[in-house]
């Protein structure tokens, strides 16, 4: 039976790896999800049949309750709410790690790690580290959820001596872990949990709105390491492997996000930029006037173009305009217009947000291009249709060394002949930074809800 369990876990691990490989591209993402589901189902079934595992009634009851809640959430959740859903799920993984560590400390015999007062040193180290990472992930993810959901201000919360306080708490956390491993005192384990939870709050509140994609992927990584810690405590090799895969992939994704914003990971953790909208686009741009257009103008310009590039952003997600956008693109293609989509790595509120929405609208994968693959084409493009994006098209990232986003790679939409910019107002983006592109001669602002404006353009084309 033990050999069969190891073999099943090995198959599950391979399925998890195939899942990650599939999720690396939109075209294979569905297959990747299927591999992941199959791997997890096999892992759960194998664990339940492992000798020594009892309490089947409670296990089945827990699966039924959790599965029912998950099914309801999956059916009701809007695509725009996926980032905060991910943050909420990460918090649950962190909380699970805290609960398992507490259970292992309270009943070490059941986990095979010793007896009360005489727990193995290696297990004490694993237990305390897993609990610390889990507690940090729990509160940090709750704060991230609050910022994404709008329950907490997206503006960075900073105060004097913040970095010093975080550093002191970090050193104190290490000392508490050492004291716990030395004394095996439950009081120190409790202090580790409290301190780690406090650090989770203090480390995430200074993160601004523009850095939230990095934080989502970072918390994903932390949840993986927390799961790996649970695996060590439970002596479950598959959980260790799965946690390590999630942790490593999340860390790599965080690096990619930081590279996409030209920011170091440390600078994000020490205080991000962005948050609530500024008072208006005119704040730093003087009395410049924007050219305001209508749906009929946009329809005429695009139908007479030879090449159109569409740049989606979070405004498209909020308005649920992806289906109307694809319909508009289909009309243009029937008119002989070359249509492509340009995706910035940090567009939206989580990695791959725009890809998911476009896939939901059945946009062909071969029409969707990442920043590095399409940026050179803007200079030879007749029209760029920016729908609900802002910061990722801001030329200040290239031209204004005083801008907080200076050096961040952006889509070079300003190099196109005409830019049609769909936005509700001339206000700043999520990073709270004004966009001078609004006032360029080649830009026409289409001020309306993204879905309504796109539908009006479709009517005008027809």
């Amino acid at each position: 039976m033990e050999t069969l369990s190891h073999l099943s876990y090995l198959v599950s691990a391979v399925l998890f790896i195939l899942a990650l490989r599939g999720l690396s591209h939109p075209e294979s993402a569905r297959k990747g999800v299927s591999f992941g589901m199959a791997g997890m189902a096999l892992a759960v079934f194998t664990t339940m049949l492992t000798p020594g595992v009892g309490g089947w009634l409670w296990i089945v009851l827990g699966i039924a309750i959790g599965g029912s809640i998950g099914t309801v959430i999956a059916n009701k959740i809007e695509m725009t709410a996926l980032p905060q859903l991910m943050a909420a799920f990460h918090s649950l993984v962190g909380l699970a790690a805290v609960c398992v560590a507490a259970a292992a400390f309270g009943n070490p015999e059941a986990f095979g790690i010793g007896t009360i007062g005489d727990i193995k040193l290696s297990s004490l180290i694993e237990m305390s580290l897993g609990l610390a990472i889990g507690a940090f992930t729990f509160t940090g993810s709750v704060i991230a959820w609050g910022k994404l959901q709008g329950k907490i201000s997206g503006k960075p919360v900073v105060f004097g001596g913040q970095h010093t306080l975080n550093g002191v708490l970090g050193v104190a956390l290490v000392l508490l872990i050492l004291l716990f491993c030395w004394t095996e005192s439950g009081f120190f384990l409790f202090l580790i949990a409290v301190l780690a939870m406090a650090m989770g709050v203090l480390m995430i509140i200074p993160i601004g709105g523009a850095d939230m994609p990095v934080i989502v992927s970072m918390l994903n990584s932390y949840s993986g390491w927390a799961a790996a810690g649970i695996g060590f405590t439970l002596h479950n090799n598959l959980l260790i492997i799965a946690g390590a895969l999630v942790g490593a992939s999340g860390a790599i994704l965080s690096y990619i996000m930081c590279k996409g914003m030209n920011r170091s990971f440390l600078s994000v953790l020490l205080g991000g930029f962005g948050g609530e909208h500024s008072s208006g686009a005119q704040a730093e741009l003087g009395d410049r006037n924007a050219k305001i257009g209508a749906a009929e103008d946009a329809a005429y310009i695009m139908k007479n173009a030879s090449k159109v590039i569409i740049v989606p952003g979070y405004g498209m997600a909020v308005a649920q305009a992806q289906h109307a956008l694809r319909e508009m693109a289909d009309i243009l293609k029937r008119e002989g217009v070359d249509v492509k989509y340009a995706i910035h790595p940090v567009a939206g509120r989580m990695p791959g947000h725009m890809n998911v929405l476009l896939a939901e609208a059945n946009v062909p994968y071969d029409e969707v291009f990442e920043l590095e693959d399409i940026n050179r084409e803007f200079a030879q493009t007749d029209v760029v249709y920016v729908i609900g994006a802002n910061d990722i098209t801001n030329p200040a990232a290239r031209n204004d060394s005083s801008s907080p986003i200076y050096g961040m790679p952006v889509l070079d939409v300003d190099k196109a002949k005409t830019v049609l910019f769909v936005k509700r107002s001339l206000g700043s983006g999520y990073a709270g930074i004004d966009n001078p592109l609004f006032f360029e001669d080649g830009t026409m602002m289409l001020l309306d809800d993204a879905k309504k404006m796109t539908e009006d353009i479709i009517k005008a084309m027809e």
Side-chain angles (χ1 to χ4, degrees):
M1 183 62 187
E2 184 177 354
T3 301
L4 184 60
S5 293
H6 289 321
L7 181 60
S8 296
Y9 280 160
L10 178 61
V11 173
S12 295
V14 171
L15 288 171
F16 291 152
I17 294 172
L18 291 175
L20 286 177
R21 186 176 186 276
L23 291 171
S24 64
H25 192 278
E27 193 168 2
S28 57
R30 292 181 184 274
K31 186 180 293 185
V33 171
S34 298
F35 280 135
M37 292 171 61
M40 184 56 67
L42 178 60
V44 171
F45 184 71
T46 301
T47 302
M48 291 179 65
L49 294 180
T50 299
V53 175
W56 273 37
L57 177 61
W58 291 108
I59 293 174
V60 173
L61 185 62
I63 292 175
I65 295 174
S68 299
I69 294 173
T71 301
V72 171
I73 292 175
N75 287 327
K76 289 188 174 182
I77 195 72
E78 298 287 344
M79 295 296 289
T80 51
L82 283 179
Q84 46 265 51
L85 179 65
M86 286 180 61
F89 282 170
H90 294 158
S91 72
L92 296 179
V93 176
L95 185 60
V98 173
C99 292
V100 170
F105 180 74
N107 189 10
E109 294 93 340
F111 291 80
I113 57 176
T115 58
I116 294 178
D118 188 26
I119 300 176
K120 299 175 184 178
L121 177 60
S122 59
S123 297
L124 291 173
I125 295 173
E126 296 161 2
M127 188 187 305
S128 56
L129 287 176
L131 181 136
I133 297 173
F136 181 97
T137 303
F138 171 62
T139 54
S141 298
V142 170
I143 297 299
W145 171 85
K147 283 177 172 281
L148 291 166
Q149 187 69 18
K151 302 295 184 181
I152 302 174
S153 171
K155 188 177 180 180
V157 179
V158 295
F159 52 85
Q162 190 170 32
H163 300 327
T164 302
L165 175 61
N166 289 337
V168 170
L169 292 179
V171 172
L173 184 62
V174 173
L175 291 176
L176 284 174
I177 291 175
L178 292 175
L179 286 171
F180 169 70
C181 293
W182 183 29
T183 64
E184 202 174 318
S185 168
F187 176 70
F188 287 125
L189 188 66
F190 173 76
L191 289 181
I192 291 171
V194 171
L195 198 58
M197 287 183 181
M199 289 187 66
V201 174
L202 292 171
M203 292 291 286
I204 303 301
I205 57 172
I207 308 301
D211 285 327
M212 288 314 295
V214 181
I215 296 307
V216 170
S217 60
M218 182 195 76
L219 291 170
N220 177 59
S221 176
Y222 287 170
S223 69
W225 298 125
I230 296 174
F232 280 110
T233 302
L234 298 176
H235 300 292
N236 189 300
N237 292 330
L238 181 63
L239 196 52
I240 296 172
I241 293 172
L245 286 172
V246 173
S249 61
I252 293 171
L253 189 57
S254 299
Y255 169 77
I256 293 173
M257 293 296 103
C258 287
K259 185 179 178 181
M261 301 170 70
N262 195 35
R263 289 165 62 72
S264 69
F265 187 64
L266 184 61
S267 70
V268 173
L269 291 180
L270 293 180
F273 65 86
E276 297 174 335
H277 300 323
S278 63
S279 58
Q282 302 289 345
E284 298 180 6
L285 296 170
D287 298 323
R288 299 180 65 182
N289 295 317
K291 185 190 302 180
I292 309 299
E296 293 76 14
D297 303 319
Y300 177 81
I301 292 171
M302 283 194 282
K303 285 189 73 173
N304 287 277
S306 61
K307 183 174 183 178
V308 173
I309 295 180
I310 298 170
V311 178
Y314 188 65
M316 181 195 76
V318 172
Q320 289 288 282
Q322 61 269 25
H323 296 283
L325 187 66
R326 193 214 65 209
E327 185 179 351
M328 184 190 78
D330 289 343
I331 294 173
L332 290 173
K333 286 187 287 185
R334 287 198 295 268
E335 294 289 332
V337 181
D338 180 18
V339 179
K340 294 182 178 180
Y341 297 80
I343 305 296
H344 192 282
V346 295
R349 296 293 182 268
M350 70 175 183
H353 199 178
M354 296 301 104
N355 301 80
V356 171
L357 292 172
L358 295 179
E360 184 197 21
N362 294 318
V363 171
Y365 298 124
D366 58 358
E367 295 178 6
V368 181
F369 296 87
E370 302 295 330
L371 178 146
E372 62 271 12
D373 298 321
I374 201 170
N375 234 9
R376 65 179 67 90
E377 296 188 27
F378 285 107
Q380 291 80 44
T381 299
D382 297 306
V383 180
V384 175
Y385 186 74
V386 182
I387 176 168
N390 193 337
D391 302 316
I392 60 173
T393 63
N394 195 331
R398 296 193 317 265
N399 309 326
D400 184 3
S401 59
S402 65
S403 173
I405 64 171
Y406 181 69
M408 168 181 164
V410 293
L411 292 164
D412 296 334
V413 301
D414 56 313
K415 295 182 179 180
K417 295 177 182 178
T418 302
V419 178
L420 301 176
F421 215 117
V422 183
K423 204 170 179 294
R424 287 183 177 271
S425 71
L426 293 176
S428 61
Y430 199 58
I433 301 168
D434 298 312
N435 193 341
L437 178 61
F438 296 170
F439 308 95
E440 295 293 333
D441 294 336
T443 301
M444 178 182 290
M445 299 300 298
L446 305 172
L447 302 181
D448 206 338
D449 174 81
K451 183 178 181 180
K452 183 178 182 302
M453 175 56 70
T454 304
E455 290 174 343
D456 288 346
I457 291 174
I458 292 172
K459 292 177 183 178
M461 287 180 174
E462 294 173 339

